[in-house]
Amino acid sequence: MEQTQRYTLGKTERLKSRKIIEQLFKEGKSFSNFPFRVLYLTVNKDAAPAPVKQQQAPLQCGFGVSTRHFKKAVHRNRVKRLLREAWRLQKNELEQLLESGQKQLAVFVIYTGNELPLYPLVYEKTGSILKRLKEKVETAHP
């Protein structure tokens, strides 16, 4: 019997640990896909440092928007909401790849643009970000 996919972004899939976020910003790799900057840290579950070992989900993500470009919290929250929704709908393939390879990935996506984006742009760019992350996970040595 075929299993239907669930498109969720639960509590365990959100990047909240201050230690993991600090480690991500110190040791993580990054790339840009305008208007986004992506920081990521890939870890094998066996050889994981203590803070990352505590992760429960194979894929954890956090989102940020600059106060410099968006003074009002309403606008910052709108951009983050659009980002989370696009991520939630497209992350399943990367998540399955991580589960099969016994790896964990911490990702932080920062919106660097200075105008409120439309959802189709955010959806498209999030898809290309996830595709690029998938390639990086596949090419990372075991």
Side-chain angles (χ1 to χ4, degrees):
M1 204 167 161
E2 209 172 295
Q3 187 179 1
T4 58
Q5 281 190 328
R6 295 195 57 206
Y7 299 98
T8 60
L9 188 62
K11 194 174 183 178
T12 58
E13 297 174 61
R14 297 186 188 211
L15 190 57
K16 293 181 179 182
S17 168
R18 192 176 296 265
K19 286 182 182 179
I20 297 174
I21 293 171
E22 283 176 11
Q23 185 179 6
L24 180 63
F25 276 87
K26 279 183 193 171
E27 302 166 19
K29 296 175 184 163
S30 69
F31 64 87
S32 288
N33 187 352
F34 189 79
F36 299 106
R37 182 163 174 254
V38 181
L39 292 120
Y40 66 97
L41 186 62
T42 310
V43 180
N44 284 332
K45 282 188 179 182
D46 311 335
V52 179
K53 236 180 197 175
Q54 295 168 356
Q55 280 189 182
Q56 296 153 341
L59 178 62
Q60 283 192 324
C61 190
F63 304 96
V65 180
S66 171
T67 320
R68 180 190 296 173
H69 299 303
F70 296 99
K71 303 291 185 208
K72 295 183 178 179
V74 173
H75 298 296
R76 289 193 302 275
N77 292 339
R78 168 80 179 160
V79 175
K80 287 190 277 188
R81 199 175 311 119
L82 291 173
L83 256 168
R84 280 194 304 267
E85 179 65 8
W87 183 269
R88 177 185 75 84
L89 293 173
Q90 299 180 70
K91 70 173 172 56
N92 282 340
E93 202 173 307
L94 176 61
E95 202 168 40
Q96 289 169 354
L97 177 72
L98 289 167
E99 284 175 357
S100 65
Q102 291 295 305
K103 293 183 179 178
Q104 289 182 316
L105 186 66
V107 181
F108 201 90
V109 181
I110 303 169
Y111 181 76
T112 56
N114 52 10
E115 293 179 5
L116 274 173
L118 296 175
Y119 182 71
L121 172 81
V122 175
Y123 187 86
E124 175 193 332
K125 294 293 184 170
T126 304
S128 60
I129 287 169
L130 284 162
K131 188 176 179 182
R132 200 158 164 189
L133 283 169
K134 185 179 171 198
E135 290 169 6
K136 301 228 183 231
V137 167
E138 287 173 341
T139 58
H141 33 273

